[in-house]
């Protein structure tokens, strides 16, 4: 099969939309072609557009990160877009052409069967790439990104958003998989002991071990198991509070409590504040 995308005129595309060819076409969809295709749409026939999806697709097209995929742009017998309208709008917005398979003259009834499958989650993408403990690893990677984003800490790769599962996987790779998998072990230990928001706490372990590896192991193992903790220990105070509050405390605040306890331990203080934070306050940094 010839896999070279054809650059055709808008006139030729219009002919195919109104008099569909039998075979699919691999086209280089320029902004002009995408606009011509969209002209034939019927707003009453289309699903509502997602502005965020269009902007995200356009961003990836501009970064030259849009591959040729086996998900065609499909048009019905009236030239209306059955599948791929967000990609077409993104091509227009980005000004960047993409290669895409195009199917013409599809039965009108086919429209009801597009986009009804379950979307891939970060855990799915991690599994596809052979990552062990995929769901846990994906959660930790996303929570680490959020911590660094909110505290202004540097990221290992330049990425200002983490909207797609593929971006989460790229971030995981940049964090170094072996290091994330080490924190996955803490995730499982915390989960076994029924502590809340295990993904958030495991992400805090990942951050903490970059500051003080030995203390991080001591702190988070004791937090999970309760072993070797005196009654005045800040880790015991944190553990007791989390176990009592399980199910009634938001995950983001669990992260803040862990940071407060860690900072108290690192600076030799015997206590820390358990009161909920102001939701608009700055996210604390681990020291």
């Amino acid at each position: 099969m010839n896999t070279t995308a054809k650059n055709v005129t808008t006139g030729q595309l219009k002919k195919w939309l109104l008099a569909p060819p039998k075979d699919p076409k691999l086209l280089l969809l320029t902004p002009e072609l995408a606009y011509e295709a969209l002209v034939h749409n019927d707003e009453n026939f289309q699903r509502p557009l997602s502005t965020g999806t269009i902007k995200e697709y356009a961003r990836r097209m501009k970064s030259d990160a849009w591959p040729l995929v086996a998900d065609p742009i499909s048009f019905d017998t009236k030239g209306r877009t059955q599948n791929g309208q967000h990609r077409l709008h993104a091509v227009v917005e980005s000004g960047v052409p993409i290669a895409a398979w195009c199917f013409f003259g599809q039965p009108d009834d086919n429209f009801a069967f597009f986009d009804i499958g379950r979307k891939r989650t970060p855990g799915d993408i991690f599994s596809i790439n052979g990552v062990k403990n995929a769901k846990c690893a994906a959660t930790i990677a996303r929570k680490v990104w959020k911590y660094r984003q909110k505290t202004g800490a540097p990221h290992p790769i330049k990425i200002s958003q983490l909207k797609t599962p593929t971006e989460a996987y790229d971030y995981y790779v940049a964090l170094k998989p072996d290091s994330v998998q080490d924190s996955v072990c803490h995730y499982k230990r915390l989960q076994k002991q029924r502590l809340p928001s295990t993904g958030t706490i495991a992400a805090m372990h990942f951050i903490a071990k970059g500051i003080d590896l030995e203390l991080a192991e001591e702190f988070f193992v004791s937090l999970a198991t309760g072993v070797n903790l005196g009654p005045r220990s800040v880790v015991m105070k944190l553990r007791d509070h989390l176990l009592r509050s399980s199910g009634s405390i938001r995950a983001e605040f669990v992260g803040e409590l862990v940071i407060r306890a860690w900072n108290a331990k690192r600076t030799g203080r015997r206590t820390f504040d358990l009161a909920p934070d102001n939701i608009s306050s700055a996210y604390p940094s681990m020291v």
Side-chain angles (χ1 to χ4, degrees):
M1 181 182 291
N2 186 352
T3 57
T4 303
K6 296 180 180 179
N7 193 349
V8 301
T9 65
T10 55
Q12 179 62 70
L13 178 66
K14 185 175 181 179
K15 287 181 181 179
W16 285 338
L17 289 170
L18 301 178
K22 293 182 179 179
D23 298 326
K25 306 293 183 182
L26 177 56
L27 302 181
L28 184 65
L29 285 175
T30 62
E32 292 76 20
L33 288 179
Y35 183 83
E36 176 63 35
L38 290 169
V39 165
H40 294 265
N41 278 353
D42 179 351
E43 290 184 3
N44 296 320
F45 177 75
Q46 301 298 322
R47 296 181 180 89
L49 284 170
S50 166
T51 302
T53 298
I54 294 171
K55 288 186 179 299
E56 174 59 19
Y57 285 5
R59 182 187 69 80
R60 297 184 69 182
M61 290 172 185
K62 287 178 182 177
S63 64
D64 201 23
W66 197 272
L68 173 62
V69 295
D71 181 19
I73 309 288
S74 296
F75 305 96
D76 68 10
T77 56
K78 299 180 179 66
R80 300 174 300 188
T81 307
Q82 286 187 331
N83 184 53
Q85 67 165 336
H86 284 86
R87 277 175 282 169
L88 292 171
H89 278 278
V91 168
V92 174
E93 178 161 322
S94 68
V96 177
I98 64 167
W101 284 103
C102 295
F103 284 64
F104 299 89
Q106 299 301 295
D108 294 359
D109 291 344
N110 283 9
F111 179 74
F113 296 92
F114 283 108
D115 297 329
I116 60 174
R118 184 177 69 86
K119 290 187 177 181
R120 287 177 176 170
T121 66
D124 293 333
I125 296 298
F126 279 51
S127 293
I128 290 168
N129 284 282
V131 177
K132 295 185 299 181
N133 308 297
K135 186 176 179 180
C136 301
T139 299
I140 291 170
R142 293 171 70 88
K143 297 288 187 179
V144 169
W145 177 86
K146 186 174 183 179
Y147 167 86
R148 288 180 167 166
Q149 192 73 4
K150 293 195 72 173
T151 61
H155 292 291
I157 55 174
K158 187 178 180 181
I159 183 167
S160 59
Q161 300 181 80
L162 213 63
K163 289 188 174 182
T164 68
T166 299
E167 288 172 331
Y169 174 73
D170 290 343
Y171 196 76
Y172 164 79
V173 171
L175 291 176
K176 298 183 179 178
D178 287 346
S179 187
V180 177
Q181 290 295 329
D182 177 53
S183 293
V184 167
C185 294
H186 287 271
Y187 184 112
K188 292 183 174 181
R189 187 182 291 115
L190 292 158
Q191 195 172 52
K192 186 176 181 180
Q193 296 296 322
R194 300 183 182 279
L195 271 81
S197 305
T198 49
T200 297
I201 300 175
M204 295 304 101
H205 168 264
F206 182 92
I207 299 296
K209 69 182 180 179
I211 299 170
D212 186 330
L213 178 59
E214 184 176 350
L215 181 60
E217 293 305 303
E218 174 193 327
F219 183 100
F220 286 91
V221 169
S222 296
L223 174 59
T225 64
V227 173
N228 299 323
L229 293 177
R232 300 184 66 186
S233 165
V234 292
V235 182
M236 178 62 82
K237 181 179 180 180
L238 173 64
R239 175 181 165 80
D240 287 347
H241 183 72
L242 291 179
L243 288 172
R244 285 196 307 269
S245 306
S246 182
S248 64
I249 183 170
R250 58 189 175 87
E252 187 166 304
F253 188 54
V254 169
E256 293 201 26
L257 286 176
V258 172
I259 294 169
R260 290 178 188 179
W262 167 266
N263 290 350
K265 183 77 172 176
R266 282 270 293 168
T267 56
R269 289 182 284 117
R270 291 181 176 271
T271 188
F272 63 96
D273 188 7
L274 291 172
D277 66 324
N278 184 324
I279 200 165
S280 63
S281 62
Y283 206 67
S285 296
M286 299 184 99
V287 300

